């Protein structure tokens, strides 16, 4: 909207007050774009600039409760722009606005569906790969799991999954992944325990971006070494999603890099593999729907998101084997209690972060000086925006009590009540 304003002779200024999170849409003038949209609908904002002078031929369709221009149009040139994000779950009227634009203004027909996506993508994979072999880095998370099953449907025995234990996995993850994919799906799976290699490379590193890049580089080094052992391997498949791309680089526009994702940084030439990313332009909710269409159980497709760098970005500061042990157990306890209480399926993502902070406590007659853990539970649909979840106090109490009593090294648990934006879901 700001670029359109500037190109049409208007002026964009630094806003006196930035808007991140919820705002209210006030409709200034009726328009087909807002048919079926109630006045004062909640919308999701994320901007620090605003329109100072309107561009030539543009007029205001809507503004926020703070009188900030949030929707403009030029019907003659068929130009429409919004300041807020209609594509995210937290803009309640967003889907209606997008439908109005697509079907009433642009005149397109709703022909796309997930079954068509599966047919198209499988055909595309077969045509791309030919008779060559594909390697997939399987983590056990939703994205790589769905990618594995999709690729298996497309090319079968031409796929080999490498499951690399980077020493930063969830509690018991190595056994879980091998049981599900080796035995249940009968996908060719090779397990590599490279935990010592990763932890050695991370020794003494505290900067989150450096940690991500080290984990990414080490992953590629291990992957390259193991890939050379697989005959006929010409392609590397990854479960990259669209939000990963947006946060890592400017995909189709000048958005800022928020954080590095080690699976979207490109492949070094020495790896000798071409890249396949069948989920690259899908959001998480679409990936889950894809999993359902592929016949995958909720146990897999409804697992909470887990970052590619693993617990390395949930341990703030330097990573050690002992800190990983502490966090694995604390995270396992939190998820266990959330599942017992029937809240797991109601939450987009639940996680525990180990903070680089120690606090004084008292356990029995002894003084303790141990780590602080932060519990974060958020509600979202696509991961682009998120609100913290109002967990019942008795559940929070159970989680805190169990972590403090059962995890040696933690004596205090806090709850994160930040939304995205301005905070990200993960702490690093």
């Amino acid at each position: 909207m700001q670029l359109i304003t500037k190109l049409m002779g208007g002026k964009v200024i630094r806003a006196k007050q930035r808007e991140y999170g919820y705002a209210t849409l006030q409709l200034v003038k009726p328009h087909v774009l807002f048919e079926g949209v109630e006045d004062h609908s909640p919308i999701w904002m994320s901007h620090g600039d605003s329109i100072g002078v309107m561009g030539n031929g543009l007029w205001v369709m809507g503004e926020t409760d703070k009188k900030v221009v949030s929707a403009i149009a030029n019907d003659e040139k068929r130009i429409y722009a919004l300041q807020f994000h209609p594509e995210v779950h937290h803009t309640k009227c967003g889907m209606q606005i997008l439908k109005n634009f697509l079907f009433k203004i642009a005149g397109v027909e709703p022909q796309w569906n997930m079954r068509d996506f599966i047919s198209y993508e499988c055909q595309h994979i077969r045509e791309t790969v030919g008779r060559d072999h594909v390697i997939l880095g399987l983590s056990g998370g939703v994205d790589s799991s769905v990618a594995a099953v999709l690729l298996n449907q497309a090319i079968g025995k031409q796929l080999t999954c490498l499951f690399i234990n980077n020493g930063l996995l969830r509690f018991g993850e190595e056994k879980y992944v091998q049981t599900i994919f080796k035995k249940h799906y009968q996908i060719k799976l090779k397990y590599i325990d490279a935990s010592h290699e990763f932890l050695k490379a991370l020794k003494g590193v505290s900067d989150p971006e450096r940690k991500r890049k080290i984990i990414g580089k080490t992953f590629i080094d291990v992957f390259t070494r193991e890939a050379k052992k697989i005959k006929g391997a010409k392609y590397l498949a990854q479960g990259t999603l669209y939000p990963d791309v947006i946060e890592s680089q400017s995909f189709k526009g000048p958005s800022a890099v928020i954080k590095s994702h080690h699976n979207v940084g490109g492949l070094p030439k020495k790896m000798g593999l071409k890249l396949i990313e069948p989920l690259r332009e899908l959001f998480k909710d679409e990936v889950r729907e894809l999993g359902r269409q592929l016949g995958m159980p909720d146990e897999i497709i409804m697992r909470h998101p887990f970052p590619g760098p693993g617990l390395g970005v949930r341990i703030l500061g330097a990573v050690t084997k002992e800190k990983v042990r502490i966090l694995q157990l604390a995270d396992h306890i939190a998820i266990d209690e959330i599942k017992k209480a029937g809240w797991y399926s109601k939450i987009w993502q639940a996680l525990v972060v180990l903070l680089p902070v120690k606090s004084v406590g008292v356990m029995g007659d002894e003084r303790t000086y141990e780590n602080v853990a932060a519990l974060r539970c958020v509600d979202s649909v696509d991961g682009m925006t998120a609100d913290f979840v109002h967990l019942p106090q008795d559940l929070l109490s159970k989680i805190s009590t169990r972590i403090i009593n059962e995890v040696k090294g933690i004596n205090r648990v806090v709850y994160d009540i930040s939304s995205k934006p301005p905070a990200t879901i993960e702490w690093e």
Side-chain angles (χ1 to χ4, degrees):
M1 186 178 83
Q2 295 163 0
L3 179 60
I4 290 171
T5 297
K6 184 175 181 180
L7 292 175
M8 296 185 72
K11 185 177 180 181
V12 177
I13 61 173
R14 176 65 66 181
K16 293 181 180 179
Q17 185 174 352
R18 298 179 298 174
E19 289 186 305
Y20 294 105
Y22 277 116
T24 300
L25 173 65
Q26 296 182 348
L27 300 176
V28 175
K29 195 174 180 180
H31 193 274
V32 65
L33 187 65
F34 294 110
E35 281 187 8
V37 175
E38 294 183 5
D39 198 11
H40 303 288
S41 292
I43 55 176
W44 195 263
M45 305 289 269
S46 179
H47 71 101
D49 298 322
S50 60
I51 294 176
V53 178
M54 189 61 60
N56 297 324
L58 296 171
W59 57 275
V60 179
M61 292 187 289
E63 57 188 21
T64 69
D65 49 327
K66 296 178 181 177
K67 303 301 179 184
V68 175
V69 175
S70 58
I72 60 176
N74 181 314
D75 287 309
E76 184 180 346
K77 295 184 177 180
R78 295 174 65 78
I79 294 174
Y80 309 93
L82 306 175
Q83 179 65 75
F84 58 93
H85 291 268
E87 77 281 6
V88 302
H89 173 64
H90 295 89
T91 296
K92 302 302 180 185
C93 57
M95 288 303 296
Q96 183 62 45
I97 293 172
L98 292 173
K99 287 178 181 178
N100 289 342
F101 175 75
L102 290 171
F103 307 140
K104 296 182 179 181
I105 295 176
V108 300
E109 296 182 7
Q111 298 176 333
W112 188 93
N113 61 64
M114 192 57 74
R115 294 304 310 173
D116 289 342
F117 174 83
I118 293 172
S119 299
Y120 167 81
E121 199 59 42
C122 283
Q123 182 64 28
H124 177 69
I125 291 168
R126 293 187 196 106
E127 291 175 354
T128 301
V129 172
R131 296 182 179 180
D132 293 325
H133 210 85
V134 178
I135 303 172
L136 170 71
L138 182 65
S139 68
V142 177
D143 308 335
S144 66
S145 297
V146 172
V149 175
L150 177 65
L151 284 158
N152 191 50
Q153 179 168 313
I155 56 175
K157 294 181 180 180
Q158 289 172 256
L159 171 69
T160 297
C161 291
L162 295 183
F163 176 37
I164 297 174
N165 184 349
N166 60 8
L168 306 167
L169 302 176
R170 285 177 275 208
F171 183 85
E173 189 76 354
E174 59 273 21
K175 293 181 181 178
Y176 172 83
V177 171
Q178 291 183 79
T179 300
I180 291 291
F181 290 92
K182 216 171 189 177
K183 295 182 179 179
H184 180 72
Y185 285 106
Q186 298 182 331
I187 292 174
K188 283 196 287 185
L189 177 67
K190 184 177 180 182
Y191 172 70
I192 303 101
D193 185 356
S195 54
H196 177 73
E197 199 168 335
F198 278 85
L199 292 174
K200 183 179 178 181
L202 287 167
K203 187 176 180 179
V205 179
S206 297
D207 180 75
E209 273 299 293
R210 278 195 65 203
K211 285 196 291 185
R212 283 179 175 272
K213 289 176 180 177
I214 287 170
I215 293 168
K217 180 183 180 302
T218 307
F219 174 82
I220 289 175
D221 289 344
V222 174
F223 214 102
T224 302
R225 185 173 67 228
E226 296 299 326
K228 289 178 180 178
K229 301 176 184 178
I230 300 174
K231 294 181 180 180
K234 298 289 180 66
Y235 292 89
L236 170 65
Q238 294 183 152
T240 309
L241 304 192
Y242 190 45
D244 299 334
V245 178
I246 293 172
E247 291 188 341
S248 297
Q249 58 186 300
S250 176
F251 182 56
K252 291 180 179 176
S255 55
V257 173
I258 298 171
K259 56 187 176 183
S260 297
H261 290 261
H262 75 269
N263 58 337
V264 290
L267 295 171
K269 292 181 180 179
K270 70 175 183 178
M271 197 168 187
L273 297 175
K274 300 174 185 178
L275 188 61
I276 294 179
E277 295 175 306
L279 314 180
R280 185 180 176 88
E281 295 192 22
L282 297 182
F283 289 92
K284 181 72 76 172
D285 57 319
E286 293 172 315
V287 173
R288 286 184 165 136
E289 176 58 27
L290 172 59
R292 288 190 185 94
Q293 293 292 333
L294 290 167
M296 298 176 69
D298 280 356
E299 177 190 0
I300 297 175
I301 61 176
M302 294 310 293
R303 290 192 89 187
H304 289 185
F306 191 69
L311 299 180
V313 292
R314 291 182 181 174
I315 296 171
L316 274 58
V319 178
T320 66
K321 189 174 182 178
E322 175 61 11
K323 287 180 181 178
V324 172
R325 181 199 67 79
I326 290 171
L327 184 53
Q328 280 180 331
L329 187 52
D331 187 74
H332 174 68
I333 289 170
I335 297 300
D336 183 52
E337 287 298 331
I338 287 169
K339 285 181 176 178
K340 286 180 183 176
W343 273 84
Y344 189 80
S345 61
K346 302 175 185 178
I347 296 173
W348 161 268
Q349 188 173 3
L351 59 114
V352 176
V353 180
L354 191 64
L355 306 183
V357 175
K358 288 191 173 183
S359 70
V360 175
V362 178
M363 298 186 76
D365 296 326
E366 295 183 1
R367 175 186 181 274
T368 63
Y369 188 60
E370 295 180 331
N371 297 99
V372 177
L375 174 66
R376 180 149 172 76
C377 299
V378 297
D379 176 37
S380 183
V381 169
D382 51 23
M384 295 301 294
T385 61
D387 264 346
F388 71 90
V389 175
H390 294 262
L391 286 182
Q393 287 195 0
D394 61 337
L395 176 55
L396 288 171
S397 178
K398 285 181 182 178
I399 294 170
S400 176
T401 299
R402 275 197 65 191
I403 289 176
I404 292 170
N405 286 339
E406 298 178 31
V407 183
K408 186 177 180 180
I410 294 176
N411 69 356
R412 190 180 300 270
V413 176
V414 298
Y415 191 53
D416 183 348
I417 57 171
S418 308
S419 295
K420 175 185 180 180
T424 53
I425 295 176
E426 298 287 347
W427 279 44
E428 288 190 345

